[in-house]
Amino acid sequence: MLINNEDVSTKHYTEVQDPGRLSETVGYIANGDATHVDQAVDSAHRAFLSWRKNSLEERISIIMKSAEKIEGNSSSIASVTTKENGMLLGRTIDEIKLGLMDMRNMADLALSAFQQRVIEDETGWVSVVKRPMGVIACIVPWNAPLILTLQKITPILLAGNTIVVKPSPTASMGVVSLLTTMAKSFPPGVINVVLGDGDVGNALTSHPLVRKISFTGGGNTAVTIMKSAAETLKDVHFELGGNDPAIVLDDANLNEVVPKIVEGAFRRTGQFCFAIKRVYIPYDIYDEFYEKVCELTDAYKIGHQLNKEATMGPINNQLQYRRIKELIERLEHSGANLVKLGKRLEPENWDNGYYLQPVVVRDVHPNAEIVTCEQFGPVLPLIPYHTEEEVIHMANNSEFGLGSSVWSSDLERALDIANQIEAGMTFINGHGQTLLGSKHIPFGGIKQSGIGREKSIEVFDEFIEYHGINLHKKKV
């Protein structure tokens, strides 16, 4: 662990296995406890008292220096992260690059995010300033731990807060390496990392000196955190799961659209929050769409994440692997029309890792489990529809509302559909943010997909308090 810029060991450690080769050990992570949480939060609180006094320009300078150090150490950070969380090495390298881009975007946006507002008339003078909150607890998941950590902590630190980060037990080593590299540029105590299970998480979220909890992960854990936060009236910031619909219109160019939809569904083995999780296709082009999806999906090569031939890696952990496998088995027993595709690399190693072939499901009922759940794995249901009114209803008939996409050759039609979708984000003819969108779109969802936003200039308001001063003028 990292507390007050010092490495902290514990008596007990947990073995980290390679999810693509379970017989191989990646390393060992410390098992912290509530005492370590106290130490980390106290360290962060002491550091906050001076860090908040630094000018924004000073904080930006330190952030940029830390970005340079990450860049210089990116190869080793990517290597250990890939080994422990099962994502393809190329994806992890890209993840760091995108995270560094987010850091630079946030530093640029911060220059106009904290301006004082002054209003005056004959009766009085008013000043409204934005102040940092204090210690922020940051809990990050295993699927894209590096970029999710960087996009979470950068605006928090720029706003003048300090942090205690708890990574996922199945993706801790890369995050510790990342934050240890960053912390060398910061005063001691500004960045702290604690490791452990739910008891450590509960100690962190209930700590009286933690002012806000920023969590990325699943809804069930968010409910637990919210209950814990209620005891001390903490604010919460949640980026949660999704069930992103992709709506294909009848004028879409399938040769252009299908490859992007398949990539949007199966990237990272389907293990990212805004993956395409259900696709709606007009009846008239349904069969053609299905055949193209199967052809492209069958081209995936499933293997170890460090295998240069692999285009799809393993599932990250046993719990998620079993959940997806059981979901597929229920589909098979229900008589659903599904096909398992892709080529197995190193078939002799298949049972030594959490490997699954990508699955395409056709002719599926719009209320089937596979359509309504967040599968978070390589399973893609294709749902036919007749009218635009019908497909908008089906897309919105969900408790999730993170991302969504519309695919059409007619921009006006696509915009009309997009404006009727209940989601935090809608993409047109793509699924994910462009470079411009990554800087300026508030990232997050509605309904059960989150509370608050990340990225964009709006994110800074998540981690500040307002302080108003009002002068009463003497009567003339």
Side-chain angles (χ1 to χ4, degrees), residues 103-145:
M103 292 178 74
R104 293 173 178 127
N105 284 342
M106 287 296 100
D108 182 47
L109 293 169
L111 293 170
S112 57
F114 302 105
Q115 286 143 344
Q116 179 184 15
R117 185 157 51 96
V118 176
I119 308 99
E120 187 174 10
D121 66 10
E122 67 276 6
T123 67
W125 176 90
V126 168
S127 166
V128 180
V129 297
K130 298 177 180 181
R131 288 182 170 179
M133 302 179 77
V135 180
I136 310 295
C138 303
I139 303 175
V140 293
W142 47 261
N143 59 316

Short mmCIF file of all heavy atoms in Angstrom, two decimals, residues 103-145:
data_model
loop_
_atom_site.label_atom_id
_atom_site.label_comp_id
_atom_site.label_asym_id
_atom_site.label_seq_id
_atom_site.Cartn_x
_atom_site.Cartn_y
_atom_site.Cartn_z
N MET A 103 -5.88 13.52 -18.52
CA MET A 103 -5.19 14.39 -17.56
C MET A 103 -4.92 15.76 -18.18
O MET A 103 -5.16 16.80 -17.56
CB MET A 103 -3.87 13.75 -17.12
CG MET A 103 -4.03 12.49 -16.28
SD MET A 103 -2.43 11.74 -15.85
CE MET A 103 -1.85 12.89 -14.59
N ARG A 104 -4.44 15.75 -19.42
CA ARG A 104 -4.12 17.02 -20.09
C ARG A 104 -5.39 17.81 -20.42
O ARG A 104 -5.41 19.05 -20.32
CB ARG A 104 -3.28 16.74 -21.32
CG ARG A 104 -1.90 16.19 -20.93
CD ARG A 104 -1.06 15.71 -22.10
NE ARG A 104 0.25 15.25 -21.60
CZ ARG A 104 0.79 14.07 -21.85
NH1 ARG A 104 0.15 13.19 -22.61
NH2 ARG A 104 1.98 13.75 -21.36
N ASN A 105 -6.45 17.11 -20.81
CA ASN A 105 -7.73 17.78 -21.05
C ASN A 105 -8.25 18.45 -19.78
O ASN A 105 -8.72 19.59 -19.81
CB ASN A 105 -8.77 16.78 -21.55
CG ASN A 105 -8.59 16.40 -23.00
OD1 ASN A 105 -7.90 17.09 -23.76
ND2 ASN A 105 -9.19 15.29 -23.41
N MET A 106 -8.18 17.73 -18.66
CA MET A 106 -8.68 18.27 -17.41
C MET A 106 -7.86 19.48 -16.96
O MET A 106 -8.41 20.47 -16.46
CB MET A 106 -8.63 17.19 -16.31
CG MET A 106 -9.67 16.09 -16.44
SD MET A 106 -11.36 16.70 -16.27
CE MET A 106 -11.84 16.80 -17.99
N ALA A 107 -6.55 19.42 -17.14
CA ALA A 107 -5.70 20.56 -16.78
C ALA A 107 -6.06 21.78 -17.61
O ALA A 107 -6.07 22.92 -17.11
CB ALA A 107 -4.23 20.19 -16.97
N ASP A 108 -6.36 21.57 -18.88
CA ASP A 108 -6.75 22.66 -19.77
C ASP A 108 -8.10 23.26 -19.35
O ASP A 108 -8.27 24.48 -19.25
CB ASP A 108 -6.80 22.16 -21.21
CG ASP A 108 -7.15 23.25 -22.20
OD1 ASP A 108 -6.55 24.35 -22.12
OD2 ASP A 108 -8.01 23.03 -23.06
N LEU A 109 -9.06 22.39 -19.07
CA LEU A 109 -10.40 22.86 -18.69
C LEU A 109 -10.41 23.53 -17.32
O LEU A 109 -11.23 24.42 -17.06
CB LEU A 109 -11.38 21.68 -18.69
CG LEU A 109 -11.68 21.07 -20.06
CD1 LEU A 109 -12.45 19.76 -19.89
CD2 LEU A 109 -12.48 22.04 -20.92
N ALA A 110 -9.49 23.11 -16.44
CA ALA A 110 -9.46 23.65 -15.08
C ALA A 110 -9.20 25.16 -15.06
O ALA A 110 -9.62 25.86 -14.14
CB ALA A 110 -8.40 22.94 -14.25
N LEU A 111 -8.53 25.66 -16.08
CA LEU A 111 -8.17 27.08 -16.11
C LEU A 111 -9.38 27.99 -16.07
O LEU A 111 -9.29 29.14 -15.60
CB LEU A 111 -7.32 27.37 -17.36
CG LEU A 111 -5.94 26.71 -17.39
CD1 LEU A 111 -5.31 26.85 -18.76
CD2 LEU A 111 -5.04 27.33 -16.31
N SER A 112 -10.53 27.49 -16.54
CA SER A 112 -11.74 28.32 -16.51
C SER A 112 -12.81 27.76 -15.58
O SER A 112 -13.96 28.21 -15.61
CB SER A 112 -12.31 28.46 -17.93
OG SER A 112 -12.59 27.18 -18.49
N ALA A 113 -12.45 26.80 -14.75
CA ALA A 113 -13.46 26.10 -13.93
C ALA A 113 -13.65 26.67 -12.53
O ALA A 113 -14.64 26.35 -11.87
CB ALA A 113 -13.11 24.62 -13.83
N PHE A 114 -12.73 27.47 -12.06
CA PHE A 114 -12.77 27.87 -10.64
C PHE A 114 -12.83 29.38 -10.43
O PHE A 114 -12.44 29.88 -9.39
CB PHE A 114 -11.54 27.31 -9.92
CG PHE A 114 -11.42 25.82 -9.99
CD1 PHE A 114 -10.48 25.22 -10.82
CD2 PHE A 114 -12.25 25.01 -9.25
CE1 PHE A 114 -10.38 23.84 -10.90
CE2 PHE A 114 -12.16 23.62 -9.33
CZ PHE A 114 -11.23 23.04 -10.16
N GLN A 115 -13.31 30.11 -11.42
CA GLN A 115 -13.30 31.56 -11.30
C GLN A 115 -14.26 32.05 -10.22
O GLN A 115 -15.36 31.53 -10.06
CB GLN A 115 -13.66 32.20 -12.65
CG GLN A 115 -12.51 32.10 -13.63
CD GLN A 115 -12.99 31.85 -15.05
OE1 GLN A 115 -14.14 31.49 -15.27
NE2 GLN A 115 -12.12 32.03 -16.00
N GLN A 116 -13.81 33.06 -9.53
CA GLN A 116 -14.64 33.71 -8.52
C GLN A 116 -15.74 34.53 -9.20
O GLN A 116 -15.53 35.11 -10.26
CB GLN A 116 -13.77 34.63 -7.66
CG GLN A 116 -14.52 35.39 -6.57
CD GLN A 116 -13.61 36.35 -5.83
OE1 GLN A 116 -12.50 36.66 -6.27
NE2 GLN A 116 -14.07 36.84 -4.69
N ARG A 117 -16.91 34.54 -8.57
CA ARG A 117 -18.01 35.36 -9.09
C ARG A 117 -18.25 36.51 -8.11
O ARG A 117 -18.44 36.28 -6.91
CB ARG A 117 -19.27 34.49 -9.23
CG ARG A 117 -20.44 35.20 -9.87
CD ARG A 117 -21.41 34.17 -10.50
NE ARG A 117 -21.77 33.13 -9.55
CZ ARG A 117 -22.89 33.13 -8.80
NH1 ARG A 117 -23.74 34.14 -8.90
NH2 ARG A 117 -23.16 32.13 -7.99
N VAL A 118 -18.22 37.75 -8.62
CA VAL A 118 -18.41 38.93 -7.78
C VAL A 118 -19.58 39.75 -8.34
O VAL A 118 -19.63 40.05 -9.54
CB VAL A 118 -17.14 39.79 -7.74
CG1 VAL A 118 -17.40 41.08 -6.94
CG2 VAL A 118 -15.99 39.02 -7.12
N ILE A 119 -20.52 40.12 -7.45
CA ILE A 119 -21.68 40.93 -7.82
C ILE A 119 -21.80 42.07 -6.81
O ILE A 119 -21.60 41.86 -5.60
CB ILE A 119 -22.98 40.10 -7.82
CG1 ILE A 119 -22.82 38.84 -8.66
CG2 ILE A 119 -24.16 40.93 -8.34
CD1 ILE A 119 -22.51 37.61 -7.85
N GLU A 120 -22.11 43.26 -7.30
CA GLU A 120 -22.18 44.41 -6.40
C GLU A 120 -23.30 45.35 -6.83
O GLU A 120 -23.55 45.55 -8.03
CB GLU A 120 -20.85 45.16 -6.39
CG GLU A 120 -20.76 46.27 -5.37
CD GLU A 120 -19.38 46.89 -5.29
OE1 GLU A 120 -18.53 46.59 -6.15
OE2 GLU A 120 -19.15 47.69 -4.35
N ASP A 121 -24.00 45.91 -5.85
CA ASP A 121 -24.95 46.99 -6.11
C ASP A 121 -24.86 47.98 -4.96
O ASP A 121 -23.95 47.91 -4.13
CB ASP A 121 -26.36 46.46 -6.33
CG ASP A 121 -26.97 45.80 -5.10
OD1 ASP A 121 -26.37 45.92 -3.99
OD2 ASP A 121 -28.04 45.18 -5.22
N GLU A 122 -25.81 48.91 -4.88
CA GLU A 122 -25.71 49.95 -3.85
C GLU A 122 -25.96 49.42 -2.44
O GLU A 122 -25.61 50.07 -1.45
CB GLU A 122 -26.71 51.08 -4.17
CG GLU A 122 -28.18 50.71 -4.07
CD GLU A 122 -28.71 50.05 -5.35
OE1 GLU A 122 -27.90 49.79 -6.27
OE2 GLU A 122 -29.92 49.79 -5.43
N THR A 123 -26.55 48.21 -2.32
CA THR A 123 -26.85 47.68 -0.99
C THR A 123 -25.78 46.73 -0.44
O THR A 123 -25.69 46.52 0.76
CB THR A 123 -28.18 46.92 -1.01
OG1 THR A 123 -28.04 45.73 -1.80
CG2 THR A 123 -29.30 47.78 -1.57
N GLY A 124 -25.00 46.12 -1.35
CA GLY A 124 -24.05 45.13 -0.85
C GLY A 124 -23.08 44.64 -1.90
O GLY A 124 -23.14 45.03 -3.08
N TRP A 125 -22.20 43.79 -1.45
CA TRP A 125 -21.16 43.17 -2.30
C TRP A 125 -21.16 41.68 -2.03
O TRP A 125 -21.24 41.25 -0.87
CB TRP A 125 -19.81 43.79 -1.97
CG TRP A 125 -18.61 43.21 -2.68
CD1 TRP A 125 -18.09 43.61 -3.87
CD2 TRP A 125 -17.76 42.15 -2.22
NE1 TRP A 125 -16.97 42.88 -4.19
CE2 TRP A 125 -16.75 41.96 -3.19
CE3 TRP A 125 -17.77 41.34 -1.08
CZ2 TRP A 125 -15.75 41.00 -3.06
CZ3 TRP A 125 -16.76 40.38 -0.95
CH2 TRP A 125 -15.78 40.22 -1.94
N VAL A 126 -21.14 40.89 -3.10
CA VAL A 126 -21.22 39.44 -2.96
C VAL A 126 -20.05 38.79 -3.68
O VAL A 126 -19.71 39.16 -4.82
CB VAL A 126 -22.54 38.89 -3.55
CG1 VAL A 126 -22.50 37.37 -3.67
CG2 VAL A 126 -23.72 39.31 -2.69
N SER A 127 -19.45 37.81 -3.01
CA SER A 127 -18.39 37.00 -3.62
C SER A 127 -18.77 35.52 -3.47
O SER A 127 -19.17 35.09 -2.38
CB SER A 127 -17.05 37.25 -2.93
OG SER A 127 -16.10 36.25 -3.28
N VAL A 128 -18.67 34.77 -4.55
CA VAL A 128 -18.92 33.32 -4.51
C VAL A 128 -17.68 32.64 -5.06
O VAL A 128 -17.27 32.88 -6.21
CB VAL A 128 -20.15 32.92 -5.35
CG1 VAL A 128 -20.36 31.42 -5.28
CG2 VAL A 128 -21.39 33.66 -4.85
N VAL A 129 -17.06 31.82 -4.24
CA VAL A 129 -15.85 31.11 -4.66
C VAL A 129 -16.08 29.60 -4.53
O VAL A 129 -16.94 29.14 -3.77
CB VAL A 129 -14.61 31.52 -3.84
CG1 VAL A 129 -14.28 32.97 -4.04
CG2 VAL A 129 -14.81 31.21 -2.37
N LYS A 130 -15.30 28.84 -5.30
CA LYS A 130 -15.35 27.38 -5.25
C LYS A 130 -14.16 26.89 -4.44
O LYS A 130 -13.01 27.22 -4.75
CB LYS A 130 -15.31 26.80 -6.67
CG LYS A 130 -16.50 27.21 -7.52
CD LYS A 130 -16.39 26.67 -8.94
CE LYS A 130 -17.58 27.09 -9.79
NZ LYS A 130 -17.51 26.57 -11.17
N ARG A 131 -14.45 26.09 -3.43
CA ARG A 131 -13.40 25.57 -2.55
C ARG A 131 -13.35 24.05 -2.62
O ARG A 131 -14.38 23.40 -2.85
CB ARG A 131 -13.69 25.98 -1.10
CG ARG A 131 -13.48 27.45 -0.79
CD ARG A 131 -13.76 27.69 0.68
NE ARG A 131 -13.35 29.02 1.10
CZ ARG A 131 -13.51 29.48 2.34
NH1 ARG A 131 -14.08 28.70 3.26
NH2 ARG A 131 -13.11 30.68 2.66
N PRO A 132 -12.17 23.47 -2.39
CA PRO A 132 -12.09 22.01 -2.33
C PRO A 132 -12.83 21.46 -1.13
O PRO A 132 -13.06 22.16 -0.14
CB PRO A 132 -10.59 21.75 -2.25
CG PRO A 132 -10.00 23.00 -1.69
CD PRO A 132 -10.86 24.12 -2.21
N MET A 133 -13.18 20.18 -1.21
CA MET A 133 -13.99 19.55 -0.16
C MET A 133 -13.15 18.96 0.97
O MET A 133 -13.53 19.00 2.13
CB MET A 133 -14.85 18.44 -0.78
CG MET A 133 -15.76 18.91 -1.89
SD MET A 133 -16.75 17.56 -2.61
CE MET A 133 -18.01 17.36 -1.35
N GLY A 134 -12.02 18.34 0.60
CA GLY A 134 -11.20 17.65 1.60
C GLY A 134 -10.71 16.32 1.08
O GLY A 134 -10.25 16.22 -0.06
N VAL A 135 -10.85 15.29 1.89
CA VAL A 135 -10.40 13.95 1.50
C VAL A 135 -11.51 13.26 0.71
O VAL A 135 -12.65 13.17 1.17
CB VAL A 135 -10.04 13.09 2.73
CG1 VAL A 135 -9.58 11.70 2.30
CG2 VAL A 135 -8.98 13.78 3.57
N ILE A 136 -11.16 12.78 -0.47
CA ILE A 136 -12.10 12.06 -1.32
C ILE A 136 -11.68 10.59 -1.38
O ILE A 136 -10.51 10.29 -1.68
CB ILE A 136 -12.15 12.63 -2.75
CG1 ILE A 136 -12.34 14.15 -2.72
CG2 ILE A 136 -13.26 11.95 -3.55
CD1 ILE A 136 -13.63 14.64 -2.17
N ALA A 137 -12.60 9.69 -1.09
CA ALA A 137 -12.36 8.25 -1.23
C ALA A 137 -12.69 7.84 -2.66
O ALA A 137 -13.79 8.12 -3.15
CB ALA A 137 -13.21 7.46 -0.25
N CYS A 138 -11.74 7.20 -3.32
CA CYS A 138 -11.92 6.79 -4.72
C CYS A 138 -11.84 5.27 -4.80
O CYS A 138 -10.81 4.69 -4.44
CB CYS A 138 -10.85 7.41 -5.61
SG CYS A 138 -10.78 9.20 -5.53
N ILE A 139 -12.89 4.64 -5.29
CA ILE A 139 -12.94 3.18 -5.41
C ILE A 139 -13.08 2.85 -6.89
O ILE A 139 -14.03 3.28 -7.54
CB ILE A 139 -14.10 2.59 -4.59
CG1 ILE A 139 -13.96 3.02 -3.12
CG2 ILE A 139 -14.13 1.08 -4.71
CD1 ILE A 139 -15.11 2.59 -2.23
N VAL A 140 -12.09 2.12 -7.43
CA VAL A 140 -12.04 1.89 -8.88
C VAL A 140 -12.12 0.39 -9.19
O VAL A 140 -11.68 -0.44 -8.39
CB VAL A 140 -10.77 2.50 -9.49
CG1 VAL A 140 -10.82 4.02 -9.40
CG2 VAL A 140 -9.51 1.98 -8.82
N PRO A 141 -12.66 0.03 -10.35
CA PRO A 141 -12.91 -1.37 -10.71
C PRO A 141 -11.74 -2.02 -11.42
O PRO A 141 -10.68 -1.40 -11.62
CB PRO A 141 -14.12 -1.27 -11.63
CG PRO A 141 -13.89 0.01 -12.37
CD PRO A 141 -13.22 0.93 -11.39
N TRP A 142 -11.95 -3.26 -11.87
CA TRP A 142 -10.88 -4.06 -12.45
C TRP A 142 -10.82 -4.02 -13.97
O TRP A 142 -9.82 -4.37 -14.56
CB TRP A 142 -11.03 -5.54 -12.03
CG TRP A 142 -12.40 -6.11 -12.17
CD1 TRP A 142 -13.32 -6.26 -11.17
CD2 TRP A 142 -13.05 -6.59 -13.36
NE1 TRP A 142 -14.49 -6.82 -11.67
CE2 TRP A 142 -14.34 -7.04 -13.00
CE3 TRP A 142 -12.64 -6.73 -14.70
CZ2 TRP A 142 -15.23 -7.58 -13.93
CZ3 TRP A 142 -13.53 -7.26 -15.63
CH2 TRP A 142 -14.80 -7.68 -15.24
N ASN A 143 -11.87 -3.58 -14.64
CA ASN A 143 -11.94 -3.80 -16.09
C ASN A 143 -11.07 -2.83 -16.89
O ASN A 143 -10.47 -3.21 -17.89
CB ASN A 143 -13.39 -3.73 -16.57
CG ASN A 143 -14.05 -2.40 -16.26
OD1 ASN A 143 -13.91 -1.86 -15.16
ND2 ASN A 143 -14.77 -1.87 -17.22
N ALA A 144 -11.01 -1.56 -16.47
CA ALA A 144 -10.13 -0.58 -17.12
C ALA A 144 -9.55 0.29 -16.01
O ALA A 144 -9.80 1.48 -15.92
CB ALA A 144 -10.91 0.27 -18.12
N PRO A 145 -8.76 -0.33 -15.13
CA PRO A 145 -8.40 0.34 -13.87
C PRO A 145 -7.53 1.58 -14.04
O PRO A 145 -7.62 2.50 -13.22
CB PRO A 145 -7.65 -0.76 -13.10
CG PRO A 145 -7.11 -1.66 -14.16
CD PRO A 145 -8.16 -1.67 -15.24
#
